[in-house]
Amino acid sequence: MAFTFTVNGKSATVDVPADMPLLWVIRDVLNLKGTKFGCGAGLCGACTVHLDGRAIRSCQTPVTTVTNKQVTTLEGLSADGTHPLQIAWQEIDVPQCGYCQAGQIMSAAALLARTPKPTDADIDTAMNGNLCRCATYLRIREAIHKAAAMSPARPRPTETARAQAARER
């Protein structure tokens, strides 16, 4: 059966079984590998994406529920890694193994979209359910605060600047 929805700002039509979880549509059909499989039961948060701006667990979301809606994956936050959360994650050196980080960042992005200056309690509530086996929770919280403090006008690295830096090495 064919389903049409928007992924990262681009229209996508997929011909898949109606009960196929969105996670597998994203990873196997659309070949966007940023969204991770963790538990398959919606309990760990590794598969978190946005559906019309709201954080959801894609492993438990049938593709039928996304028809004519907007899905955003980690790749959709920023193609070049310049979203404030991606920058903060790098500057704070949040990940250890990194497996949960895509889901952590997506949950944090949904939080910042609705609460631009979150408190620790806001962060703890929003991030509850995103499990990190490496227990980087304090660094995750610090990175969310850092991203919230970044001005939208903050200069971000460009491909030209990156290319120039690479040539200088």
Side-chain angles (χ1 to χ4, degrees):
M1 186 168 208
F3 301 94
T4 300
F5 55 101
T6 302
V7 180
N8 301 331
K10 297 177 183 171
S11 180
T13 300
V14 296
D15 189 7
V16 297
D19 62 347
M20 182 177 237
L22 179 60
L23 170 65
W24 301 119
V25 173
I26 291 168
R27 289 186 58 79
D28 295 347
V29 178
L30 300 175
N31 203 32
L32 296 169
K33 304 297 186 185
T35 306
K36 304 296 183 200
F37 173 79
C39 66
L43 302 173
C44 73
C47 68
T48 302
V49 299
H50 296 174
L51 181 60
D52 289 339
R54 188 174 53 87
I56 61 152
R57 303 300 193 244
S58 64
C59 72
Q60 293 295 295
T61 304
V63 70
T64 56
T65 64
V66 303
T67 299
N68 299 320
K69 294 186 179 179
Q70 305 252 352
V71 174
T72 305
T73 68
L74 182 67
E75 294 91 344
L77 286 184
S78 168
D80 60 359
T82 58
H83 186 281
L85 281 164
Q86 292 168 315
I87 293 169
W89 240 248
Q90 291 174 9
E91 289 179 1
I92 302 298
D93 198 22
V94 172
Q96 284 186 30
C97 81
Y99 200 79
C100 70
Q101 297 305 305
Q104 299 279 3
I105 289 172
M106 294 306 292
S107 289
L111 166 65
L112 292 179
R114 70 179 181 276
T115 309
K117 300 291 181 192
T119 64
D120 284 351
D122 294 331
I123 293 170
D124 293 347
T125 298
M127 303 305 288
N128 186 27
N130 282 83
L131 303 180
C132 177
R133 295 183 300 199
C134 302
T136 65
Y137 299 112
L138 295 178
R139 291 195 311 246
I140 289 167
R141 184 190 295 154
E142 182 181 355
I144 293 170
H145 281 302
K146 185 175 187 89
M150 289 182 188
S151 165
R154 175 185 171 167
R156 297 194 175 117
T158 63
E159 289 306 311
T160 306
R162 285 191 182 137
Q164 183 178 3
R167 284 193 303 273
E168 291 173 357
R169 288 185 206 159

